[in-house]
Amino acid sequence: MAEKVAPAKSPGKAKPLLAMKFGGTSVGNAERMERVAEIIREHASQAEIVVVVSAMGGVTDMLIRAATEASRGDREHWKSVRQELARRHREVADRLLSAGEQAAVLPRLAEHVNQFENLCSGFSLVREVTPRAMDTLSSLGEVMSATLMAAILRTKGLPAEAVDAVECIVTDEHFGNATPLFAETDLKTSERLAPLRRRGTIPVVTGFRGATREGLCTTLGRGGSDYTGTIIGAALDAEEICIWTDVDGVMTADPRLVPAARIIPEISYREAIELSFFGAKVLHPKTIQPVMKKKIPVWIKNSFNPACPGTKIGPAAANGQPGVKAITSVSKADLITISGKDTLSFAQLASKVFAALSLEGIATLMVTQSSADNVLCFAVHNADLKRVKTKLEKVFELEILHDYVAALEVMPHVAMVVAIGENMKGTPGIAGRAFSALGRRSINIIAIAQGSSELSISFAVKSSDVKDAVQAIHEEFQL
Ligand code: ADP
Ligand code: ASP
Ligand code: MG
């Protein structure tokens, strides 16, 4: 367990509160769920625990695909998914639950499977799935896994209760990628969980989902259970939050791209935010936001290797080694160039572009400019490209018509490779070394950007070069 949660010293003293989030792989089958229950049991002897769980690995993808196929009129696909959904959860119940728990839990799981079936049947009839309906359906996996995990804990003699996060997390109405309304969420979470906490019952909260003020189910974006973990942990003023996943911690690079990547024992909030923004899947990009003010440490640990200390994410990294700390990448991006003519100033051009992007809630991965030539160039996630093009073509319709602005140019198949480290500031020559490392492997750099905070340096390269580029920079800085 993470270092700060010490056993309560005197019998009268309240135990520290520890929020623990378990990802999809960690709860992927009966054996893994049992391992998770053991981790919870171990920690429960020393701390008060609140658990957050993801859907069993692969379930969310399966649900989304079923809904999409149903909305295209396919009436067969979701029927096979229904079997698989029922089978996977039932198998866990059969293997890990007492007879009494099975009797209570199996009918509830069947209800969720029926809800899945009814929704998909509806989508196939109307040939549509709205973002709102998709949220209700895509987060059913979390409802099912939380139901199971609470029952597993009870079977092991630990008092536990499944809690649907729609009763805790209040969000705006941005279905598919909702933002929590923190003041209301904090209050609702504390109130909903207070009776359980008083009774010493472990709440097992569904990750990923929340609800609008009117009670409509929303989701926090793919991978959003990490965010649920910190939202709930911060709402309850947890001593610390532990995100249990399938790697030993935050690593110097995505281990799938760089097998030689190492664990980083400690990183700062700012570094973690930067890493997750630029594609490190280990953390949902908004995970750190709820804990920053309260300075709650977040640990990343491996549920398959709990003895490994993992990574501590805190306000500032203590062992501030100089230079680059980690490399990350976004492999599917596009570079958009927009050029203004004489009559339109660069400031006018840029303000119009960014106002349009912010209205659509689209993040830019990199921005470069040539004010003298009136040229603005920026990178976006490929998933956002269609929306960006449509929006900008509309916003600049007149300017394009009258030739004040040249038509948008899109360079597809671009990847962003980003070197991150809080202490890069004041370390000269980092960009130069990265340039040389890429040059030695004949990797062409399309664009480069460095924030004035010097927390990161980004290189745009061809998508096909991304693995090579990440490895080259990783090697150069001997991470
Ligand atoms: P979970 O299901 O537990 O939320 P995810 O699959 O979402 O887990 O995130 C963990 C994965 O993130 C790892 O298996 C690893 O492949 C990937 N990953 C990408 N970049 C990094 C990094 N810098 N450090 C650690 N893991 C990373
Ligand atoms: N189950 C959701 C997803 O796959 C949320 C999560 O796992 O974090 O996106
Ligand atoms: Mg995840």
Side-chain angles (χ1 to χ4, degrees):
M1 175 168 106
E3 68 200 10
K4 247 182 110 184
V5 180
K9 293 214 169 58
S10 60
K13 200 172 166 219
K15 287 180 186 174
L17 179 69
L18 175 61
M20 306 171 103
K21 175 262 170 178
F22 294 91
T25 320
S26 301
V27 295
N29 59 32
E31 187 195 338
R32 292 171 184 185
M33 279 196 169
E34 172 143 50
R35 189 176 303 147
V36 164
E38 284 308 321
I39 292 173
I40 296 170
R41 184 213 288 283
E42 252 169 56
H43 287 76
S45 60
Q46 304 166 47
E48 185 194 344
I49 309 288
V50 174
V51 174
V52 171
V53 284
S54 289
M56 294 177 75
V59 165
T60 313
D61 285 341
M62 201 162 85
L63 295 172
I64 293 173
R65 165 116 197 269
T68 310
E69 295 297 326
S71 72
R72 290 182 183 144
D74 182 339
R75 294 187 57 82
E76 292 311 311
H77 178 75
W78 54 266
K79 289 182 184 153
S80 63
V81 172
R82 183 196 185 286
Q83 308 297 341
E84 181 66 3
L85 192 64
R87 186 195 63 75
R88 281 190 66 186
H89 291 87
R90 184 168 183 127
E91 190 176 295
V92 178
D94 286 347
R95 289 192 42 196
L96 299 183
L97 300 189
S98 63
E101 284 298 342
Q102 282 189 16
V105 160
L106 288 176
R108 278 163 56 202
L109 293 178
E111 257 173 51
H112 301 314
V113 173
N114 280 342
Q115 193 186 357
F116 164 81
E117 187 167 23
N118 291 337
L119 284 165
C120 284
S121 170
F123 301 155
S124 71
L125 284 174
V126 295
R127 298 278 182 111
E128 186 190 18
V129 49
T130 60
R132 180 170 142 179
M134 183 63 109
D135 277 359
T136 302
L137 183 102
S138 66
S139 58
L140 272 180
E142 270 73 9
V143 182
M144 297 178 79
S145 63
T147 304
L148 275 174
M149 185 49 75
I152 296 167
L153 293 172
R154 289 194 298 268
T155 298
K156 286 180 173 288
L158 290 166
E161 189 177 310
V163 176
D164 191 335
V166 299
E167 297 177 64
C168 300
I169 298 177
V170 188
T171 73
D172 65 8
E173 294 181 356
H174 192 159
F175 295 98
N177 194 15
T179 300
L181 307 173
F182 281 100
E184 289 165 59
T185 296
D186 291 358
L187 191 67
K188 217 168 163 186
T189 302
S190 312
E191 282 178 3
R192 174 65 182 87
L193 303 187
L196 277 75
R197 296 180 63 195
R198 271 197 299 274
R199 291 200 301 270
T201 298
I202 300 173
V204 181
V205 184
T206 58
F208 191 38
R209 57 187 350 225
T212 64
R213 285 184 179 135
E214 289 72 39
L216 300 169
C217 178
T218 52
T219 60
L220 305 172
R222 291 305 307 273
S225 299
D226 299 331
Y227 196 19
T228 310
T230 52
I231 294 168
I232 299 283
L236 300 176
D237 282 321
E239 188 89 359
E240 43 186 53
I241 296 163
C242 194
I243 294 180
W244 292 86
T245 182
D246 57 4
V247 279
D248 281 340
V250 177
M251 309 188 79
T252 49
D254 183 343
R256 290 167 299 185
L257 292 182
V258 183
R262 272 188 319 101
I263 310 162
I264 311 173
E266 211 171 325
I267 61 170
S268 71
Y269 287 154
R270 274 159 39 98
E271 288 167 335
I273 291 170
E274 205 80 0
L275 265 171
S276 55
F277 179 81
F278 287 112
K281 194 183 169 224
V282 66
L283 277 181
H284 180 278
K286 295 185 196 158
T287 309
I288 299 303
Q289 206 185 320
V291 299
M292 286 186 86
K293 246 201 210 137
K294 294 184 174 171
K295 300 194 166 114
I296 302 172
V298 178
W299 288 82
I300 309 297
K301 282 180 65 86
N302 191 348
S303 68
F304 298 84
N305 184 18
C308 178
T311 298
K312 182 182 183 180
I313 309 174
N319 64 339
Q321 79 194 52
V324 178
K325 215 159 180 185
I327 317 291
T328 184
S329 60
V330 174
S331 56
K332 288 182 185 160
D334 300 274
L335 265 183
I336 299 174
T337 304
I338 180 159
S339 320
K341 305 280 173 73
D342 297 343
T343 36
L344 196 74
S345 75
F346 181 78
Q348 283 170 319
L349 180 80
S351 76
K352 227 169 157 173
V353 168
F354 291 116
L357 295 181
S358 93
L359 272 178
E360 287 286 303
I362 290 165
T364 48
L365 294 165
M366 165 189 268
V367 180
T368 64
Q369 67 170 80
S370 165
S371 308
D373 295 335
N374 242 357
V375 178
L376 179 66
C377 174
F378 58 94
V380 294
H381 285 280
N382 178 255
D384 292 331
L385 178 66
K386 218 166 142 190
R387 276 196 306 146
V388 174
K389 269 193 82 186
T390 312
K391 185 78 187 171
L392 291 184
E393 276 164 2
K394 189 145 180 248
V395 165
F396 286 104
E397 194 178 0
L398 279 180
E399 285 89 342
I400 292 174
L401 191 70
H402 295 291
D403 207 26
Y404 295 165
V405 162
L408 303 184
E409 276 171 50
V410 178
M411 180 186 280
H413 311 302
V414 169
M416 308 291 308
V417 175
V418 186
I420 289 164
E422 192 132 39
N423 296 307
M424 289 192 327
K425 206 175 334 206
T427 312
I430 288 182
R433 280 176 68 189
F435 262 118
S436 310
L438 295 175
R440 277 196 300 278
R441 294 210 189 187
S442 309
I443 297 168
N444 184 35
I445 301 170
I446 303 166
I448 173 168
Q450 175 168 11
S452 55
S453 65
E454 289 190 48
L455 189 63
S456 64
I457 304 178
S458 313
F459 303 88
V461 298
K462 277 194 302 193
S463 279
S464 52
D465 284 336
V466 67
K467 192 170 177 181
D468 256 1
V470 172
Q471 286 180 350
I473 300 179
H474 195 269
E475 228 168 68
E476 173 64 32
F477 293 97
Q478 297 177 350
L479 301 181

